[in-house]
Amino acid sequence: MKKNDILTPVGIALGIGLIFYAISQGGTGVGIFIDIPSFLITIGGSFAAVLITYDLETVKKIPSALKMTIVSVNVNKVDLVDQFKELSKIIRKDGILAIEQQITEMEDPFLKKGLELIVDGVDANDVKEILEIDLNEREKVYDSSSKIFKLWGSYAPAFGMVGTLIGLIQMLADMGSPDEIAAGMSTALITTLYGAFFTNLLFNPLGFNIEAKGEKEIEYLEMVVCGLQSIQNGDSVRAMEEKLITHLNEKDRKAYYENTSSEVA
Amino acid sequence: MKKNDILTPVGIALGIGLIFYAISQGGTGVGIFIDIPSFLITIGGSFAAVLITYDLETVKKIPSALKMTIVSVNVNKVDLVDQFKELSKIIRKDGILAIEQQITEMEDPFLKKGLELIVDGVDANDVKEILEIDLNEREKVYDSSSKIFKLWGSYAPAFGMVGTLIGLIQMLADMGSPDEIAAGMSTALITTLYGAFFTNLLFNPLGFNIEAKGEKEIEYLEMVVCGLQSIQNGDSVRAMEEKLITHLNEKDRKAYYENTSSEVA
Amino acid sequence: MKKNDILTPVGIALGIGLIFYAISQGGTGVGIFIDIPSFLITIGGSFAAVLITYDLETVKKIPSALKMTIVSVNVNKVDLVDQFKELSKIIRKDGILAIEQQITEMEDPFLKKGLELIVDGVDANDVKEILEIDLNEREKVYDSSSKIFKLWGSYAPAFGMVGTLIGLIQMLADMGSPDEIAAGMSTALITTLYGAFFTNLLFNPLGFNIEAKGEKEIEYLEMVVCGLQSIQNGDSVRAMEEKLITHLNEKDRKAYYENTSSEVA
Amino acid sequence: MKKNDILTPVGIALGIGLIFYAISQGGTGVGIFIDIPSFLITIGGSFAAVLITYDLETVKKIPSALKMTIVSVNVNKVDLVDQFKELSKIIRKDGILAIEQQITEMEDPFLKKGLELIVDGVDANDVKEILEIDLNEREKVYDSSSKIFKLWGSYAPAFGMVGTLIGLIQMLADMGSPDEIAAGMSTALITTLYGAFFTNLLFNPLGFNIEAKGEKEIEYLEMVVCGLQSIQNGDSVRAMEEKLITHLNEKDRKAYYENTSSEVA
Amino acid sequence: MKKNDILTPVGIALGIGLIFYAISQGGTGVGIFIDIPSFLITIGGSFAAVLITYDLETVKKIPSALKMTIVSVNVNKVDLVDQFKELSKIIRKDGILAIEQQITEMEDPFLKKGLELIVDGVDANDVKEILEIDLNEREKVYDSSSKIFKLWGSYAPAFGMVGTLIGLIQMLADMGSPDEIAAGMSTALITTLYGAFFTNLLFNPLGFNIEAKGEKEIEYLEMVVCGLQSIQNGDSVRAMEEKLITHLNEKDRKAYYENTSSEVA
């Protein structure tokens, strides 16, 4: 159900490419921009701040948070309307127990769980409460993953500045010829560059990427909850369809109406 | 129903004009301010960050978001009061089904849908729920379009700074004559200028433009919901008018009372 | 009912006076600080950004927003308690219709409208709903007027920086003698000065001025709503007084008790 | 009931002492850091912005806001539990009217007023409404006092920068010997120093001081409301105690249990 | 029940180590970076601002807030499900009083108190109210501890800047040879370095550390409340399990199902 979010690597590649292009415009080679100590101070130092902020359990989630940024949330709202309509028709014809077969074949664990609760005859209020806690729990996963990168992105430029200040102070304390000073200044600025670069091409965009995906999934899950409540209320197929379509944006509505009319035809 | 928002291109033209005027005040020509590599680093780099942040579906919405900024939201609240009063009179005289003719001729899809639901005899709570989801869905369209430009506007100055740092580091690493240094510094600052300029004349104003339009449309839709609920409550024409007028600002209220009295006369 | 808010012009005069005093401390005359092109770039450029942000209808509100900053919100909460007590006594004696005379003489349109609705026998829930929408509408007028100045205040320093960058780039691209450089730098910094000055002496204080006035009026209107509901609940004069006094701050409470006791005496 | 908050003057003295210590580390005397014009520009200019922001009534509150920062909020939550328990015992024994004696001797006006309302037989909902408005009113006093200092603290560094820019522009426009330039630069920076110093040692800490005191008092008042509602509900002494203790933090709970057991003993 | 949060000291050690590594890359020794006066100005000055902000009671909490950062919140949600299931089974078999033995052996004071209230037959609404106040009280402890460090972290760079400005002004006022100037500048920058370093390696990460721990404990306590309500509602063991599992994240759910199936096996 999950596809790759190809734009994440494309954007990173484009951003790095443009930086190399920018460097190639100047007279110097790429060499002077690659400085392991500067990298360690900026990225290592800000990672140390991340370690202080979080406990081991949260730090261990960074790889899976990274994975979230390159996988897209495949939420087909148009298909969901059809799926609910179909379920509703079966229930109206053969009763609630008749959808057990459909449930077994479903992939989305949230929808599956909701339907199972309904089929098990769990009280409507309890179903609602359970789904809301579940939705809340998923929202927290996105929020906390997004926040790790955003915090990292707030520490990195600070450590870039710390690196530059250390270089500056050393240079000023021990002044040699103007040429040496300029070279020292040049090196000192590299940590600031690293801080700005990693924060604005990686940490912040990745943090906002996860945030946007979270919003998208939550919208989808709210639509699922709406459909499940519609089933439990015993809404007519028409009423359920009306409610679910409202969750679609303009483009999806058009797609839905085209699908539906072509089916009829 | 949509008119052009003429102030958007006027503001952009004025802003660009003033920049050219500012440049003309100095001794150099415009030429030194036009630098394709600097443009690629600042705008291209920040666009790369936008690509990382969003998925393909959202990035594809940028052109339609741009279009939103030059189209004005034509929401005539004064006319809306008259429209609702007329509908209310017909309903009081000939019953709810008598407005089917009016519905067919309506342009505003939100009002149309609301009235259709009422005519179809949908339950008042369901009508309210459906309209609120719909309103929410429209709000999200404005919010997400506005946020794309604001995020871009937060990345652009950062990439402007990255460009300037790269230039500075190169210049300091390879110092020549003071004249060369100054020229290198001059070029290095152009990316910072681009970042400040594009963010403050384009990205942020466009983002806030969409936000303001969203607020305006939502206010209008809330007034429509108020009128629809008034119909469903069976309010008197007088009571409905009183409620709707409250949604008007001072200027619109005056305009409304002048209209109404001239009609009577 | 509206008096002048004398502190707004006093503050502006004081601020400008101090700036002239600051300039007079240095060796140069005021002349070098008056630069029309710098003004056009900073204030004109940020105004262009305001034009892009808003539509014509909103931009036209700037003069009336400016007027709001020099007019004070005259909300006498102590008098309001007396007014409500008097109304309550009349109603208890001669019935609700007996206050029609009082209503005609009232100046405050909000209180007037509320009482008219009650006298007309409008349902208590509808009165509450109408007053809340009205209060909300007034809050929006203050919020949007305040936001225009705050946004302008966020654009102005950015255009000040754009002006300074343009000057710097030109100066560095075309270096002459050190004296010329310093003079160019001096001119370049004037746009930054303008941006900081206009934002911090005008745009931001004016924006916060309107915000503070809005909060004050809303507090007053909430007290009016409290009194109107007390009338509609049929509260005793004593109970109404108790509720209304709670809305007064310590100083106003003292003033009220002194008034009341002197009246009794 | 109010004691001095000794930490406010201690902190100010410590901060000023450290600044003098810092100055004494350099070669120059304190003299060059005392500059009346710089003080007038930075503090006077930002005060002008405060005058523009607020009306006379609010500006007049600054002295009493200053007084709030050196007076501590003496809220003894442990004693409050005992006080309520005692009241509850009297009421259970001799009825609600038996506490009139206790009410006369009380110092806290909020608790006093709440008990008076209950003794007067005011309806439970009205009591709750009145207490909530009152609590809200007190919260606003803290919020608005805190906001004055925070706004002043946002204006002061801006006027510090305005002063520095004026000095810089004059110095660059009229360059003399390098020594003169350096001295001019030195003077120009003093306004920036004043802006940073007053904001971070006075305006912001005083603003947050009032905010923290407000939060503390509101927590206390919420506990009073809880106890008053418990009386009106007719809760048992045990149930009331249980509810009130929950409002205590860990340290206060321990203190309370020690007190109680020692009393019993 | 509390374990050490080993990542806090590890992160601090790593951060300090990287700074020493950065210094070792330059030509000067570590000596020039250790400057007691600079430390006093930056950390002492910002601590003075903390003293002004808070009262004695809050300042005394700093050591215990520091202790919170190195102790981990040991909240085993998986075990909690088992614990509640066991309790539920006992209650269903032998009635509510049968769990008194279990309560005595419990370590978590929150769960213990909740169960005691239920066993004592306290009304469900009162139990809910008491638990919510308690939860709220614990949240405040985390929030206020976190805020102290964050405020300190906002003051420290400002005092770093104050120190640098003092140094700069002295240096410019009393210019000697270029070498002396550079050395003075070098010293002046050390306070800025200290401000950036302490804020970004200590104050901010420690503040966010406490915030994250607070969120974690609150989530746990919300799960406890959910279980307690389930007991009071008389939910079946199956229904309670279903509700509690929803509070687990994906990883914990897997762990729970593995545990449960292995137990059965």
Side-chain angles (χ1 to χ4, degrees):
Chain A
M1 197 177 118
K2 303 242 170 184
K3 289 190 307 184
N4 289 335
D5 176 3
I6 201 168
L7 279 194
T8 305
V10 163
I12 295 174
L14 176 63
I16 293 176
L18 283 165
I19 295 302
F20 277 101
Y21 168 74
I23 292 172
S24 75
Q25 296 292 310
T28 66
V30 173
I32 63 163
F33 289 97
I34 295 171
D35 189 48
I36 303 298
S38 296
F39 180 85
L40 287 176
I41 294 160
T42 313
I43 305 308
S46 53
F47 184 65
V50 169
L51 291 185
I52 299 169
T53 306
Y54 292 110
D55 58 8
L56 195 57
E57 199 186 342
T58 311
V59 169
K60 273 183 186 161
K61 281 182 198 156
I62 294 179
S64 74
L66 268 174
K67 213 181 129 195
M68 285 165 92
T69 64
I70 53 164
V71 169
S72 75
V73 192
N74 194 351
V75 286
N76 195 326
K77 290 180 163 186
V78 177
D79 284 1
L80 189 68
V81 183
D82 290 328
Q83 212 173 350
F84 266 115
K85 271 172 69 180
E86 205 189 320
L87 286 169
S88 183
K89 281 177 193 162
I90 297 173
I91 293 168
R92 302 224 135 228
K93 218 179 106 204
D94 304 319
I96 189 78
L97 297 178
I99 61 170
E100 285 198 322
Q101 177 63 24
Q102 270 74 18
I103 295 175
T104 333
E105 289 162 9
M106 272 172 190
E107 280 179 6
D108 179 350
F110 188 82
L111 174 55
K112 200 168 178 170
K113 182 177 174 183
L115 288 170
E116 279 170 357
L117 290 169
I118 295 177
V119 170
D120 287 0
V122 176
D123 176 64
N125 282 331
D126 281 356
V127 172
K128 205 184 154 197
E129 195 191 331
I130 290 173
L131 292 176
E132 272 168 8
I133 299 170
D134 206 346
L135 198 148
N136 205 15
E137 202 62 37
R138 287 183 184 224
E139 204 167 10
K140 272 179 203 156
V141 173
Y142 284 103
D143 282 358
S144 67
S145 305
S146 166
K147 207 179 161 188
I148 298 173
F149 287 117
K150 286 185 185 171
L151 259 184
W152 200 343
S154 81
Y155 294 139
F159 279 87
M161 189 183 138
V162 164
T164 298
L165 282 167
I166 290 177
L168 264 178
I169 290 169
Q170 289 184 318
M171 186 190 86
L172 291 164
D174 186 23
M175 296 248 296
S177 67
D179 268 25
E180 275 180 47
I181 296 174
M185 182 82 189
S186 171
T187 314
L189 284 176
I190 286 182
T191 54
T192 295
L193 174 65
Y194 280 9
F197 177 73
F198 280 96
T199 289
N200 289 289
L201 194 70
L202 285 183
F203 300 137
N204 281 353
L206 293 181
F208 283 110
N209 175 302
I210 295 173
E211 187 183 281
K213 278 176 185 159
E215 283 169 12
K216 211 170 165 178
E217 181 160 343
I218 295 305
E219 274 179 42
Y220 179 78
L221 296 181
E222 280 170 354
M223 191 173 160
V224 173
V225 171
C226 173
L228 289 170
Q229 286 183 330
S230 207
I231 286 182
Q232 220 160 15
N233 290 347
D235 282 357
S236 71
V237 180
R238 178 84 186 76
M240 174 192 273
E241 191 184 9
E242 198 69 60
K243 283 184 189 173
L244 289 174
I245 290 170
T246 319
H247 283 275
L248 304 181
N249 59 30
E250 223 167 315
K251 209 185 112 201
D252 282 352
R253 283 187 207 181
K254 268 186 206 156
Y256 175 75
Y257 286 123
E258 277 164 23
N259 266 8
T260 317
S261 51
S262 68
E263 273 172 33
V264 175
Chain B
M1 197 176 118
K2 303 243 169 182
K3 289 190 306 182
N4 288 336
D5 177 3
I6 201 168
L7 279 194
T8 305
V10 163
I12 294 174
L14 176 62
I16 294 175
L18 283 164
I19 295 302
F20 277 102
Y21 169 74
I23 292 172
S24 75
Q25 296 292 310
T28 65
V30 174
I32 63 162
F33 288 97
I34 294 171
D35 189 49
I36 304 297
S38 296
F39 180 84
L40 288 176
I41 294 160
T42 313
I43 305 307
S46 52
F47 184 65
V50 169
L51 290 185
I52 298 169
T53 305
Y54 291 110
D55 58 9
L56 196 57
E57 199 187 341
T58 311
V59 169
K60 273 184 186 162
K61 281 182 198 158
I62 295 179
S64 74
L66 268 173
K67 214 181 128 195
M68 286 165 91
T69 63
I70 53 166
V71 170
S72 75
V73 192
N74 195 351
V75 287
N76 195 324
K77 289 180 162 186
V78 177
D79 285 2
L80 189 69
V81 184
D82 290 327
Q83 212 173 351
F84 265 116
K85 271 172 68 180
E86 204 189 321
L87 286 169
S88 182
K89 282 177 193 162
I90 298 173
I91 293 168
R92 301 221 137 229
K93 218 178 108 205
D94 304 319
I96 188 78
L97 297 177
I99 61 170
E100 284 197 322
Q101 177 64 21
Q102 271 73 18
I103 296 176
T104 332
E105 288 162 8
M106 273 172 188
E107 279 179 5
D108 179 350
F110 188 82
L111 174 55
K112 199 169 179 168
K113 182 177 173 183
L115 288 171
E116 279 170 356
L117 289 169
I118 295 177
V119 170
D120 288 0
V122 175
D123 177 64
N125 282 332
D126 281 356
V127 171
K128 203 183 156 199
E129 194 191 333
I130 289 173
L131 292 175
E132 271 168 9
I133 299 170
D134 205 345
L135 199 148
N136 204 15
E137 202 61 39
R138 287 182 185 224
E139 204 167 10
K140 271 177 202 157
V141 172
Y142 283 103
D143 282 358
S144 67
S145 304
S146 167
K147 206 178 162 187
I148 297 173
F149 287 116
K150 286 185 186 171
L151 259 184
W152 200 343
S154 81
Y155 293 140
F159 279 87
M161 189 182 140
V162 164
T164 297
L165 282 167
I166 290 176
L168 265 179
I169 291 169
Q170 288 184 320
M171 188 191 86
L172 291 164
D174 186 23
M175 296 247 298
S177 68
D179 268 26
E180 275 179 48
I181 295 174
M185 183 81 190
S186 171
T187 314
L189 284 176
I190 286 182
T191 53
T192 294
L193 173 65
Y194 281 9
F197 177 72
F198 280 96
T199 288
N200 290 290
L201 194 70
L202 285 182
F203 300 137
N204 282 352
L206 293 182
F208 283 111
N209 175 302
I210 295 173
E211 188 183 283
K213 279 176 185 160
E215 283 169 13
K216 211 171 167 179
E217 181 159 342
I218 294 306
E219 275 179 42
Y220 179 77
L221 295 181
E222 280 170 354
M223 191 173 161
V224 173
V225 171
C226 174
L228 290 169
Q229 286 182 330
S230 207
I231 286 182
Q232 221 161 14
N233 290 348
D235 283 358
S236 71
V237 179
R238 178 83 185 76
M240 174 193 273
E241 192 184 8
E242 198 69 61
K243 282 184 190 173
L244 289 174
I245 289 170
T246 318
H247 283 274
L248 303 181
N249 59 31
E250 223 166 314
K251 208 185 113 201
D252 282 351
R253 283 186 206 182
K254 270 186 205 157
Y256 175 76
Y257 286 123
E258 277 165 25
N259 265 9
T260 317
S261 52
S262 68
E263 273 171 33
V264 175
Chain C
M1 198 176 116
K2 303 243 169 182
K3 290 191 306 184
N4 288 336
D5 177 3
I6 201 166
L7 279 194
T8 306
V10 163
I12 294 174
L14 176 63
I16 293 176
L18 283 164
I19 295 302
F20 277 101
Y21 169 74
I23 292 172
S24 75
Q25 297 292 310
T28 66
V30 173
I32 62 162
F33 288 97
I34 294 171
D35 189 48
I36 304 297
S38 295
F39 180 83
L40 287 176
I41 294 161
T42 312
I43 306 307
S46 52
F47 183 64
V50 169
L51 291 185
I52 298 169
T53 305
Y54 291 111
D55 57 9
L56 195 57
E57 200 187 339
T58 310
V59 170
K60 274 183 185 162
K61 281 183 199 156
I62 295 179
S64 73
L66 268 174
K67 215 182 128 195
M68 286 166 91
T69 64
I70 53 166
V71 169
S72 75
V73 193
N74 194 350
V75 286
N76 194 324
K77 289 180 162 185
V78 177
D79 284 1
L80 189 68
V81 183
D82 290 328
Q83 212 173 352
F84 266 116
K85 271 172 68 180
E86 204 189 319
L87 286 169
S88 183
K89 282 176 192 160
I90 298 173
I91 294 169
R92 300 222 137 229
K93 217 178 109 207
D94 304 318
I96 187 79
L97 296 178
I99 60 170
E100 285 198 323
Q101 178 62 23
Q102 271 73 19
I103 296 176
T104 334
E105 288 161 9
M106 271 171 191
E107 278 179 7
D108 180 349
F110 189 82
L111 175 55
K112 200 168 181 170
K113 183 176 171 183
L115 289 171
E116 279 171 355
L117 289 169
I118 294 177
V119 170
D120 288 359
V122 175
D123 177 64
N125 282 332
D126 280 355
V127 172
K128 204 183 156 200
E129 194 190 334
I130 289 173
L131 292 175
E132 271 168 10
I133 299 171
D134 206 345
L135 199 148
N136 204 15
E137 202 62 37
R138 287 183 185 224
E139 204 167 11
K140 270 178 203 158
V141 172
Y142 284 102
D143 282 358
S144 67
S145 304
S146 167
K147 206 178 161 187
I148 296 173
F149 288 116
K150 286 185 185 170
L151 259 184
W152 200 343
S154 80
Y155 293 140
F159 279 87
M161 189 183 139
V162 164
T164 298
L165 282 167
I166 290 176
L168 264 179
I169 291 169
Q170 288 184 321
M171 187 190 86
L172 291 164
D174 186 23
M175 297 248 297
S177 68
D179 268 25
E180 275 180 48
I181 295 174
M185 184 81 191
S186 172
T187 314
L189 283 176
I190 286 183
T191 53
T192 294
L193 174 64
Y194 281 11
F197 176 72
F198 280 96
T199 289
N200 289 290
L201 194 70
L202 285 183
F203 300 136
N204 281 352
L206 294 182
F208 283 111
N209 176 302
I210 296 174
E211 188 183 282
K213 280 178 183 157
E215 282 169 14
K216 211 170 167 179
E217 181 160 344
I218 295 305
E219 274 179 42
Y220 178 77
L221 295 181
E222 279 170 355
M223 191 173 161
V224 173
V225 171
C226 174
L228 290 170
Q229 286 182 332
S230 207
I231 286 182
Q232 220 161 14
N233 291 347
D235 282 358
S236 71
V237 179
R238 178 84 186 76
M240 175 193 273
E241 192 184 8
E242 198 68 60
K243 282 184 190 175
L244 289 174
I245 289 170
T246 319
H247 283 274
L248 303 180
N249 59 31
E250 224 166 314
K251 209 185 112 202
D252 282 352
R253 283 187 207 181
K254 269 185 206 156
Y256 176 77
Y257 285 124
E258 278 164 24
N259 265 8
T260 316
S261 51
S262 68
E263 273 172 34
V264 174
Chain D
M1 197 176 118
K2 303 242 170 184
K3 290 189 306 183
N4 288 337
D5 176 2
I6 201 166
L7 278 194
T8 305
V10 163
I12 294 174
L14 176 62
I16 293 175
L18 282 165
I19 295 302
F20 277 101
Y21 169 73
I23 292 171
S24 74
Q25 297 293 310
T28 67
V30 173
I32 63 163
F33 289 96
I34 294 170
D35 189 48
I36 305 297
S38 296
F39 180 83
L40 288 176
I41 293 161
T42 312
I43 305 308
S46 52
F47 184 64
V50 169
L51 291 184
I52 298 170
T53 305
Y54 291 111
D55 57 9
L56 195 57
E57 200 187 340
T58 311
V59 170
K60 274 183 186 161
K61 281 182 198 156
I62 295 179
S64 74
L66 268 174
K67 214 182 128 195
M68 285 165 92
T69 63
I70 53 165
V71 170
S72 75
V73 194
N74 194 350
V75 286
N76 195 326
K77 289 180 162 185
V78 177
D79 284 1
L80 189 68
V81 183
D82 289 328
Q83 212 173 352
F84 265 115
K85 271 173 67 181
E86 204 188 320
L87 286 169
S88 183
K89 281 177 193 160
I90 299 173
I91 293 168
R92 302 223 135 228
K93 216 178 109 205
D94 304 318
I96 188 78
L97 297 177
I99 61 171
E100 284 197 324
Q101 178 63 25
Q102 271 73 18
I103 296 176
T104 334
E105 288 162 8
M106 271 172 191
E107 279 178 8
D108 179 350
F110 188 83
L111 174 55
K112 200 168 181 168
K113 182 177 173 184
L115 288 170
E116 280 171 355
L117 289 169
I118 294 177
V119 170
D120 288 0
V122 176
D123 176 64
N125 282 332
D126 280 356
V127 172
K128 204 183 156 199
E129 195 190 332
I130 289 172
L131 292 175
E132 271 168 10
I133 299 171
D134 206 345
L135 199 148
N136 204 15
E137 202 62 38
R138 287 182 185 226
E139 204 168 10
K140 271 179 203 156
V141 173
Y142 284 102
D143 282 357
S144 67
S145 305
S146 166
K147 206 179 160 187
I148 297 174
F149 287 116
K150 286 185 185 171
L151 258 184
W152 200 343
S154 81
Y155 293 140
F159 279 88
M161 188 183 138
V162 163
T164 298
L165 282 168
I166 290 176
L168 263 180
I169 290 169
Q170 288 184 321
M171 185 191 88
L172 291 165
D174 187 24
M175 298 247 296
S177 68
D179 267 25
E180 276 181 47
I181 296 174
M185 182 83 190
S186 171
T187 314
L189 283 176
I190 286 183
T191 53
T192 295
L193 174 65
Y194 281 11
F197 177 72
F198 281 96
T199 288
N200 290 291
L201 194 71
L202 285 183
F203 301 136
N204 282 351
L206 294 181
F208 283 111
N209 176 302
I210 296 173
E211 188 184 282
K213 279 178 184 157
E215 283 169 13
K216 210 171 167 179
E217 181 160 343
I218 294 306
E219 274 179 43
Y220 178 77
L221 296 181
E222 279 170 354
M223 191 173 159
V224 174
V225 171
C226 174
L228 290 170
Q229 286 184 330
S230 208
I231 286 183
Q232 220 161 15
N233 290 347
D235 282 358
S236 71
V237 179
R238 177 83 185 77
M240 175 193 273
E241 191 184 10
E242 197 69 60
K243 282 184 189 174
L244 289 174
I245 289 170
T246 319
H247 283 274
L248 304 180
N249 59 31
E250 224 166 313
K251 209 185 113 202
D252 283 350
R253 283 186 207 181
K254 269 186 206 155
Y256 175 77
Y257 286 123
E258 277 164 23
N259 265 8
T260 316
S261 52
S262 68
E263 273 172 34
V264 175
Chain E
M1 196 176 119
K2 303 244 171 184
K3 289 190 306 183
N4 288 336
D5 177 3
I6 200 167
L7 279 194
T8 305
V10 163
I12 294 174
L14 176 62
I16 293 176
L18 282 165
I19 295 301
F20 277 101
Y21 169 73
I23 292 171
S24 75
Q25 296 293 309
T28 67
V30 173
I32 62 164
F33 289 96
I34 294 170
D35 188 48
I36 304 297
S38 296
F39 180 84
L40 288 175
I41 294 160
T42 313
I43 305 308
S46 52
F47 183 65
V50 169
L51 291 185
I52 298 170
T53 305
Y54 292 111
D55 57 8
L56 195 57
E57 197 186 343
T58 311
V59 169
K60 273 183 187 161
K61 281 182 199 158
I62 295 178
S64 75
L66 267 174
K67 213 181 129 196
M68 285 164 92
T69 64
I70 53 165
V71 169
S72 76
V73 193
N74 195 350
V75 287
N76 195 326
K77 290 180 163 186
V78 177
D79 283 2
L80 189 68
V81 183
D82 289 328
Q83 212 172 352
F84 266 115
K85 271 172 68 179
E86 204 189 320
L87 286 169
S88 182
K89 281 178 194 161
I90 298 172
I91 293 168
R92 302 223 136 228
K93 217 179 109 206
D94 304 319
I96 188 78
L97 297 177
I99 61 171
E100 284 196 322
Q101 177 63 24
Q102 272 74 18
I103 295 176
T104 334
E105 288 162 9
M106 272 173 191
E107 281 178 7
D108 179 350
F110 189 83
L111 175 55
K112 199 168 179 168
K113 182 177 173 184
L115 288 171
E116 279 171 355
L117 289 169
I118 294 177
V119 170
D120 288 0
V122 176
D123 176 64
N125 282 331
D126 281 355
V127 172
K128 205 185 156 196
E129 196 191 330
I130 290 173
L131 292 175
E132 271 168 9
I133 298 170
D134 206 345
L135 199 147
N136 205 15
E137 202 62 38
R138 288 183 184 224
E139 204 167 9
K140 272 179 202 155
V141 173
Y142 284 102
D143 282 358
S144 67
S145 305
S146 166
K147 207 179 160 187
I148 297 173
F149 287 116
K150 285 185 185 171
L151 259 184
W152 200 343
S154 82
Y155 294 139
F159 279 87
M161 188 182 137
V162 164
T164 298
L165 282 167
I166 290 176
L168 262 179
I169 290 169
Q170 289 184 320
M171 184 190 88
L172 290 164
D174 187 24
M175 297 248 297
S177 68
D179 267 25
E180 277 180 46
I181 296 174
M185 182 83 190
S186 171
T187 314
L189 284 176
I190 285 182
T191 54
T192 295
L193 173 65
Y194 281 9
F197 176 73
F198 281 96
T199 289
N200 290 290
L201 194 70
L202 285 183
F203 301 136
N204 281 352
L206 293 182
F208 284 110
N209 175 302
I210 295 173
E211 187 183 282
K213 278 176 185 158
E215 282 169 12
K216 211 170 166 179
E217 180 159 344
I218 294 305
E219 273 178 43
Y220 179 77
L221 296 181
E222 279 171 353
M223 193 173 158
V224 173
V225 172
C226 174
L228 290 169
Q229 286 184 329
S230 207
I231 285 182
Q232 220 161 14
N233 289 347
D235 283 356
S236 71
V237 179
R238 178 82 185 77
M240 174 192 274
E241 191 183 11
E242 197 69 59
K243 282 185 190 174
L244 289 173
I245 290 170
T246 318
H247 283 274
L248 304 180
N249 59 31
E250 224 166 312
K251 209 185 114 201
D252 282 351
R253 284 187 207 181
K254 268 187 207 156
Y256 175 76
Y257 286 123
E258 276 164 25
N259 266 8
T260 317
S261 51
S262 67
E263 273 172 34
V264 175

